[in-house]
Amino acid sequence: MQVLIEIIGTQKVDREKDKIELTTVGTLEENDGEYILRYKEEQEAPTDAIDVTVVIKKDESLVEMTRTGGAESRLIIESSNRNLCHYGSEYGDILMGISGHSISAEFDGEQGEFEFRYDIDINGLMVSRNSLYTKVRRT
């Protein structure tokens, strides 16, 4: 189904906090055990758009975010667990730890909210505390 997607991402590094907001359209699929959200992140020219797929387990145990296109990455957020994940950037690939704190997923067939909280570390050193809040509404 086609959905309107509103995303608010926050990142806290030391005492500084950064906030990114994005509103776009995409699709949401629902099956027995998960929600699959797909959308494009438009980039400034000449960079190509990035295709984003977010798989959210309904039992709120795991989220997998995959980005393909100009920069490729695969992040796994798992409540109370640390995963090593690949993150591609225009400057090269980075291997980083993702420590999940919480995952919430609610969707009633028309609208819903998903929220993930996690920390990022590189070489064991904490880099940032992050949260990603996503609101979807059927169009």
Side-chain angles (χ1 to χ4, degrees):
M1 87 180 72
Q2 185 138 352
V3 291
L4 178 66
I5 304 166
E6 298 175 49
I7 300 169
I8 300 172
T10 59
Q11 183 179 54
K12 186 175 179 185
V13 178
D14 296 323
R15 293 175 187 239
E16 294 188 30
K17 193 173 184 180
D18 190 25
K19 182 176 172 182
I20 297 172
E21 297 184 44
L22 169 69
T23 300
T24 188
V25 293
T27 61
L28 179 67
E29 298 172 40
E30 183 177 0
N31 63 31
D32 291 338
E34 59 196 20
Y35 301 104
I36 303 168
L37 186 61
R38 290 186 174 92
Y39 60 93
K40 285 189 180 295
E41 281 183 7
E42 298 296 330
Q43 306 294 309
E44 290 186 28
T47 306
D48 293 333
I50 296 171
D51 293 313
V52 179
T53 302
V54 183
V55 178
I56 307 139
K57 297 289 185 184
K58 287 182 178 181
D59 67 2
E60 301 178 343
S61 64
L62 184 132
V63 173
E64 181 178 343
M65 295 189 304
T66 306
R67 297 166 48 113
T68 57
E72 299 198 0
S73 63
R74 181 171 173 256
L75 304 180
I76 297 173
I77 302 167
E78 196 172 8
S79 292
S80 302
N81 205 2
R82 180 176 179 266
N83 291 284
L84 288 177
C85 300
H86 161 83
Y87 185 82
S89 75
E90 60 189 66
Y91 305 108
D93 293 346
I94 300 169
L95 185 62
M96 56 189 183
I98 306 294
S99 300
H101 293 289
S102 65
I103 298 169
S104 65
E106 295 179 22
F107 183 71
D108 67 9
E110 290 295 320
Q111 61 186 2
E113 297 178 349
F114 307 103
E115 186 169 19
F116 330 122
R117 295 184 183 279
Y118 58 98
D119 293 344
I120 296 176
D121 70 80
I122 298 176
N123 293 331
L125 298 173
M126 169 104 129
V127 175
S128 64
R129 287 194 172 251
N130 303 273
S131 69
L132 192 63
Y133 170 79
T134 304
K135 184 175 180 178
V136 298
R137 185 175 67 242
R138 179 180 230 154
T139 59

